[in-house]
Amino acid sequence: MERNSPGGAGPVHVPLGHIVANEKWRGSQLAQEMQGKVKLVFEEGLALADFYLSSRSCILYVTEADLVAGHGYRKRLVRVRNSGHLQGIIIVEKTQISEQYFPAVQKFIVLNLGMALLPVANQLEASCLITQLVQEQTQEPSRNPFLRKKRCVLSELSLVQTVQQIPGVGKVKAPLLLQKFPTIQHLSNASIQELEEVVGHAVAQQIHAFFTQPHRQQPYS
């Protein structure tokens, strides 16, 4: 296998059907569960991501411990978003302990960064998910529009779930909002009057306040 350049910031060479994993995952339950199902290659110095599915597609794994420890993990997510050459999928451990932190994480990843978020209960569940993504990529190369469409569906599901968390929205109003405002940028730029047409005055004010409150600005970019 071709060695990757040191530093981990540039493109990573990933043969089809393989996963290039950060060395820190060697011996973990996650890695052990994937062994034998996909070809796993460990590399040192992968600064940005935990797992690379291809040279342009990567996974960042946010553990329960990361969430409890604070916001340190967010810098890495922003670096991937700003890299320009990587499509990042964020897997987050949603457990009884980390569940209280999840809404804020969800808003940050999907609303602020515009990235796809996939919650898992544990590393066993994560291993099944990553294995499935690799197998799909092997069957449908990244240039195939079907795979791009599937990734878009994952992103759209995360988007709907996150919009539901905006105060006053919920499961009923979220799809209605996204029909008129299909992206977060559209929704965040909507006036109270435009929002009123969909959800009424009171909820429109809540949504507008959510997007204009100064505390939404994150010091990680």
Side-chain angles (χ1 to χ4, degrees):
M1 176 180 170
E2 179 183 325
R3 297 291 297 180
N4 293 305
S5 58
V12 173
H13 173 71
V14 185
L16 191 63
H18 287 64
I19 295 177
V20 174
N22 192 305
E23 178 67 28
K24 72 178 185 180
W25 289 100
R26 186 187 294 273
S28 67
Q29 181 191 13
L30 181 53
Q32 290 173 359
E33 292 292 343
M34 288 192 289
Q35 293 281 10
K37 300 173 185 174
V38 294
K39 296 176 182 177
L40 199 58
V41 179
F42 294 96
E43 289 277 355
E44 294 183 354
L46 299 182
L48 290 181
D50 294 292
F51 303 95
Y52 285 85
L53 307 182
S54 71
S55 61
R56 294 187 58 83
S57 179
C58 68
I59 290 173
L60 294 94
Y61 193 97
V62 181
T63 67
E64 175 187 85
D66 291 332
L67 296 180
V68 174
H71 292 166
Y73 66 90
R74 295 190 177 190
K75 293 181 180 180
R76 196 160 57 102
L77 307 189
V78 172
R79 287 179 64 193
V80 169
R81 194 277 308 272
N82 293 342
S83 68
H85 68 275
L86 284 173
Q87 179 187 40
I89 298 171
I90 318 302
I91 295 180
V92 179
E93 287 186 358
K94 185 179 181 182
T95 67
Q96 288 184 336
I97 295 175
S98 66
E99 189 171 12
Q100 61 181 307
Y101 306 101
F102 189 77
V105 174
Q106 191 177 45
K107 289 174 185 176
F108 178 74
I109 293 174
V110 181
L111 287 177
N112 291 33
L113 301 185
M115 301 175 76
L117 181 154
L118 301 174
V120 296
N122 48 50
Q123 291 189 18
L124 174 59
E125 187 175 317
S127 71
C128 296
L129 178 60
I130 296 172
T131 300
Q132 182 182 0
L133 290 172
V134 174
Q135 290 172 347
E136 288 170 355
Q137 183 149 320
T138 303
Q139 295 165 2
E140 303 284 347
S142 58
R143 69 189 65 174
N144 191 306
F146 173 80
L147 184 57
R148 292 201 301 269
K149 182 178 179 182
K150 186 147 192 170
R151 286 176 181 161
C152 287
V153 170
L154 290 175
S155 181
E156 287 167 7
L157 287 173
S158 292
L159 179 59
V160 171
Q161 291 171 353
T162 305
V163 172
Q164 289 174 7
Q165 303 299 319
I166 297 174
V169 177
K171 293 183 179 180
V172 175
K173 295 184 178 68
L176 297 176
L177 282 166
L178 290 172
Q179 284 179 12
K180 183 165 184 178
F181 310 104
T183 68
I184 288 301
Q185 184 176 4
H186 283 104
L187 187 58
S188 63
N189 290 332
S191 66
I192 292 179
Q193 290 74 21
E194 291 172 322
L195 293 167
E196 280 180 354
E197 297 176 7
V198 182
V199 294
H201 181 69
V203 176
Q205 285 187 318
Q206 288 181 286
I207 296 171
H208 190 263
F210 176 84
F211 283 110
T212 55
Q213 286 171 355
H215 66 75
R216 288 193 68 256
Q217 302 300 320
Q218 301 290 344
Y220 302 103
S221 55

